[in-house]
Amino acid sequence: MRDLHNNLKVLDNTCVTITDNTAQVCTADRAGFEAVEFFVNLGTVADADTTITLLVEDSDDNSTWAAVADDFLLGVEAAGLQYDSDLKVGKIGYNGGKRYVRVTAT
């Protein structure tokens, strides 16, 4: 049966914690899965000039990375997460052919 519940692998939900301007990276091994979905769950945003940008990259070997073409993204990297995004959830997905996928949040 092909359904979300039985075909979903949830990784560490604390993969990325953004507290300052340091870029944070979360990597997923999609072996056995057709796609990857990254969620950005914001709490209360304290800094009035906060803007969070996402970069999705993929790799065959988990060491050589390249930016993902928009054709392989589900959603857009410019998720609109900023200072007035308290308690919002952003998401970006990948359905390309590479085994490893990572998202960098800054």
Side-chain angles (χ1 to χ4, degrees):
M1 179 175 190
R2 306 264 322 157
D3 61 78
L4 184 62
H5 181 77
N6 291 304
N7 291 287
L8 183 67
K9 175 182 174 185
V10 178
L11 301 177
D12 179 8
N13 65 356
T14 58
C15 200
V16 175
T17 302
I18 300 172
T19 58
D20 58 22
N21 288 333
T22 304
Q24 302 292 315
V25 180
C26 182
T27 303
D29 180 350
R30 62 173 218 84
F33 294 88
E34 295 177 13
V36 173
E37 189 77 17
F38 292 98
F39 295 93
V40 180
N41 187 0
L42 295 180
T44 301
V45 180
D47 193 339
D49 63 353
T50 296
T51 300
I52 298 171
T53 59
L54 304 176
L55 170 65
V56 182
E57 298 172 293
D58 59 6
S59 171
D60 284 321
D61 58 10
N62 201 21
S63 64
T64 304
W65 296 93
V68 172
D70 289 345
D71 293 350
F72 299 118
L73 292 177
L74 304 169
V76 294
E77 291 169 301
L81 300 173
Q82 58 189 26
Y83 62 90
D84 61 352
S85 298
D86 285 356
L87 308 175
K88 289 188 181 177
V89 177
K91 63 184 179 176
I92 186 76
Y94 171 84
N95 66 354
K98 305 283 183 164
R99 177 172 174 179
Y100 300 95
V101 184
R102 74 180 181 187
V103 64
T104 302
T106 306

